[in-house]
């Protein structure tokens, strides 16, 4: 998908909870900007959106904007919130507020969500995988990028892998740090 000439509506769903230290949050936005620059942003081909979440989810940049400089500027201004990690709320908000025509979603164009988080949800934990399943049923392909150690085993593994689209081996990535 990266750098492709295909059509796609892509959401970066960014964890802005308190478990990500304020000092590290700039690395998150740089990571997203670097990833976004791999796309050929174009009104007719690739559209990008950004939501950030902690206790609640907020649309920061919707699919109606198609200028890379505007996207980069928006990422530079993305606020750090702190708080809990309510991934279920973020996934539900994504379905209602991004991948709907009111915010520029295009029918018959594939929807992708790139979820960037440093850990497992700690609010509405049992609803998180259910929201991910509903999003996938609705047609959204979910790619999960986790940052930190210990996210590939036990309950963390099951929960985070339950969010990613199948096959998980191609849709779940773990890195030790945003600096890499």
């Amino acid at each position: 998908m990266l750098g492709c000439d295909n059509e796609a509506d892509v959401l970066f769903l960014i964890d802005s909870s308190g478990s990500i230290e304020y000092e590290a949050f700039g690395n998150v936005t740089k990571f997203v900007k670097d990833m976004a620059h791999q796309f050929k942003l174009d009104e007719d081909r690739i559209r990008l959106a950004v939501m950030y979440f902690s206790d609640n989810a907020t649309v920061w940049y919707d699919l109606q904007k198609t200028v890379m400089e505007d996207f980069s500027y928006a990422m530079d201004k993305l606020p750090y919130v702190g708080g809990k990690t309510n991934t279920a709320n973020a996934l539900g908000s994504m379905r209602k507020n991004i991948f709907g025509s009111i915010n520029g979603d295009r029918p018959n164009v594939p929807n992708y969500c790139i979820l960037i988080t440093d850990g497992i949800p700690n609010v509405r934990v049992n609803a998180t995988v259910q929201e991910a399943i509903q999003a996938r049923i609705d047609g959204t392909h979910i790619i999960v990028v986790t940052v930190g150690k210990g996210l590939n085993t036990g309950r963390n593994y099951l929960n985070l892998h339950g969010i990613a689209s199948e096959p998980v081996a191609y849709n779940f990535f773990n890195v030790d740090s945003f600096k890499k």
Side-chain angles (χ1 to χ4, degrees):
M1 181 179 80
L2 288 176
C4 68
D5 289 322
N6 297 326
E7 294 179 323
D9 290 339
V10 181
L11 168 68
F12 289 98
L13 186 56
I14 302 170
D15 183 346
S16 181
S17 67
S19 57
I20 296 177
E21 295 177 6
Y22 177 77
E23 294 77 23
F25 195 67
N27 293 329
V28 175
T29 59
K30 181 181 180 331
F31 179 82
V32 172
K33 282 172 48 176
D34 290 348
M35 187 181 281
H37 282 290
Q38 300 299 312
F39 293 96
K40 295 178 182 174
L41 190 58
D42 179 292
E43 182 176 341
D44 296 325
R45 296 261 179 218
I46 303 294
R47 293 186 184 178
L48 302 178
V50 175
M51 284 182 69
Y52 63 90
F53 70 97
S54 60
D55 298 296
N56 298 300
T58 302
V59 175
W60 186 247
Y61 190 89
D62 66 36
L63 293 168
Q64 296 180 55
K65 302 174 185 112
T66 58
V67 177
M68 184 56 75
E69 291 78 20
D70 292 345
F71 181 86
S72 293
Y73 180 78
M75 289 307 303
D76 289 340
K77 301 298 182 189
L78 187 72
Y80 173 78
V81 178
K84 302 282 187 183
T85 307
N86 191 348
T87 310
N89 177 272
L91 291 167
S93 183
M94 168 195 73
R95 291 188 305 109
K96 296 176 190 109
N97 297 315
I98 292 294
F99 295 129
S101 60
I102 192 166
N103 280 319
D105 184 47
R106 299 169 291 171
N108 303 316
V109 172
N111 293 331
Y112 293 89
C113 168
I114 301 172
L115 170 63
I116 302 168
T117 184
D118 73 331
I120 63 170
N122 54 23
V123 178
R124 296 184 59 221
V125 175
N126 293 333
T128 302
V129 173
Q130 294 169 345
E131 287 286 358
I133 290 169
Q134 188 58 55
R136 293 192 310 261
I137 289 170
D138 291 349
T140 301
H141 186 99
I142 303 174
I143 300 165
V144 178
V145 179
T146 60
V147 180
K149 297 181 181 189
L151 298 175
N152 284 330
T153 60
R155 181 175 171 208
N156 295 337
Y157 175 87
L158 294 175
N159 193 302
L160 293 167
H161 280 70
I163 297 170
S165 291
E166 295 288 337
V168 172
Y170 294 108
N171 294 296
F172 180 88
F173 303 92
N174 179 252
V175 296
D176 290 338
S177 166
F178 281 113
K179 293 180 182 181
K180 292 185 176 184

